[in-house]
Amino acid sequence: MTTTNEPQSRRALRTTRRILIKAGTSVVANDDGRPSLIRLSAICEQIAELQRNGVEIIMVSSGATGMGKRLLRTKSRLSMSIAEVTEQVTNSSSNLASLQEEEEHQMNHPPGMLMNTSPHRRTDSLGGSMLNGGVGAENSKKTFQSACAAGGQFEMMSLYNALFSQLEVSAAQVLLTESDFRDENHLTSLKYSIDRLVSVGIIPIINENDAVSAFSTTTNVDAFTDNDSLAALCARSFGCDMCILLTDVDGVFDRPPNQEGAKLLPFYSQDQ
């Protein structure tokens, strides 16, 4: 039953048959990067309720990078040699501030990258310059984030599987790149896979395949630079009636919210 005071977005939700739900990093994880079990449990319970009411659900979830950072940080420390540990202890007694800066730099670069004594050059495990070839200093952050995302995907999906299994709901992982939306054959196969999953009650959990897309360029209209744009593209491509973005941002604005005169849109549709 509807009322005249009911928001338009709520009325639209009542007639929706397929919804894409995007969970942002601020929703999935706490400030320390650990998954928020309270929020994720509540989200999974509500998704299960929607599915029981006959609504088809597709998810786009962030959070893998944050989980992967903790994993890489732990494994990096465990893989340090005795000589490296001894050297760091020696440096700590002589210059604690310098050690903290070096450790922070090591934690923000892929394992296996060795630090040179020169502050202006890094070498890989074969002694080659990382500044003059290979990844390069300007792209080292991208590659590290990609490794973190790859490392965190398994942990994130394991968590979703544990939560959904308690609600007798099944989920599947789908990793995408920009080229999957540009290639007609890829997109056709992708649409079939998504339709087949949701038709049997399996929830596709979609994320960007960061391990291979770190250096991709956005040269096409069907491009995404974050999970918000990925969610919008998926909603359009997979025939969703509604796209819900779970985030700590107030909502959709008619212009960048930091610009003067920006207005919050309580409800947005393509007809506006």
Side-chain angles (χ1 to χ4, degrees):
M1 179 177 179
T2 62
T3 64
T4 56
N5 295 327
E6 186 178 40
Q8 186 178 359
S9 57
R10 180 69 64 179
R11 292 198 299 271
L13 184 60
R14 292 182 182 278
T15 60
T16 297
R17 296 292 73 179
R18 179 176 291 187
I19 301 176
L20 187 141
I21 299 174
K22 182 263 180 180
T25 302
S26 59
V27 175
V28 173
N30 294 312
D31 294 338
D32 59 359
R34 297 179 183 275
S36 174
L37 299 180
I38 295 177
R39 290 193 291 268
L40 282 176
S41 298
I43 291 171
C44 291
E45 287 181 355
Q46 293 176 66
I47 287 176
E49 181 66 23
L50 286 171
Q51 191 180 64
R52 284 192 288 269
N53 291 332
V55 179
E56 297 175 341
I57 303 294
I58 300 173
M59 280 195 71
V60 172
S61 179
S62 303
T65 300
M67 297 180 189
K69 282 182 179 178
R70 294 191 296 109
L71 175 65
L72 264 66
R73 184 178 295 111
T74 300
K75 291 300 182 180
S76 295
R77 288 170 177 167
L78 292 175
S79 64
M80 292 175 65
S81 67
I82 296 179
E84 289 173 324
V85 174
T86 303
E87 181 181 0
Q88 285 201 359
V89 172
T90 302
N91 292 339
S92 178
S93 61
S94 61
N95 192 338
L96 179 60
S98 176
L99 173 60
Q100 290 173 340
E101 181 180 352
E102 180 179 350
E103 183 180 8
E104 178 69 17
H105 192 69
Q106 288 179 343
M107 292 305 101
N108 287 321
H109 290 81
M113 181 178 293
L114 304 180
M115 297 300 300
N116 195 295
T117 55
S118 169
H120 303 294
R121 179 179 175 179
R122 297 192 307 277
T123 57
D124 59 16
S125 57
L126 298 178
S129 172
M130 297 298 291
L131 297 181
N132 297 325
V135 173
E138 68 279 3
N139 292 319
S140 60
K141 182 178 180 180
K142 287 185 178 181
T143 57
F144 178 65
Q145 297 279 38
S146 298
C148 288
Q153 286 290 344
F154 183 81
E155 182 177 353
M156 185 181 73
M157 288 305 302
S158 296
L159 179 57
Y160 275 120
N161 180 66
L163 294 173
F164 276 128
S165 63
Q166 299 302 312
L167 303 166
E168 299 182 350
V169 174
S170 299
Q173 184 181 39
V174 180
L175 296 178
L176 304 177
T177 64
E178 181 185 331
S179 61
D180 293 322
F181 293 93
R182 294 202 308 261
D183 188 290
E184 191 64 31
N185 291 329
H186 285 199
L187 185 57
T188 299
S189 178
L190 184 57
K191 288 179 178 179
Y192 173 81
S193 298
I194 296 296
D195 286 340
R196 183 60 178 168
L197 287 172
V198 298
S199 68
V200 297
I202 298 176
I203 298 176
I205 301 179
I206 300 172
N207 208 336
E208 182 179 4
N209 191 355
D210 295 283
V212 299
S213 62
F215 300 103
S216 62
T217 57
T218 56
T219 58
N220 189 277
V221 65
D222 290 339
F224 52 87
T225 57
D226 54 31
N227 278 346
D228 286 339
S229 53
L230 171 61
L233 186 57
C234 287
R236 187 195 71 185
S237 300
F238 304 146
C240 296
D241 302 313
M242 179 175 290
C243 179
I244 300 176
L245 304 181
L246 304 179
T247 177
D248 59 353
V249 179
D250 292 337
V252 177
F253 290 80
D254 61 349
R255 69 190 70 181
N258 57 352
Q259 291 185 6
E260 184 178 355
K263 295 181 180 180
L264 177 65
L265 304 176
F267 182 80
Y268 174 80
S269 68
Q270 290 183 333
D271 298 333
Q272 289 179 317

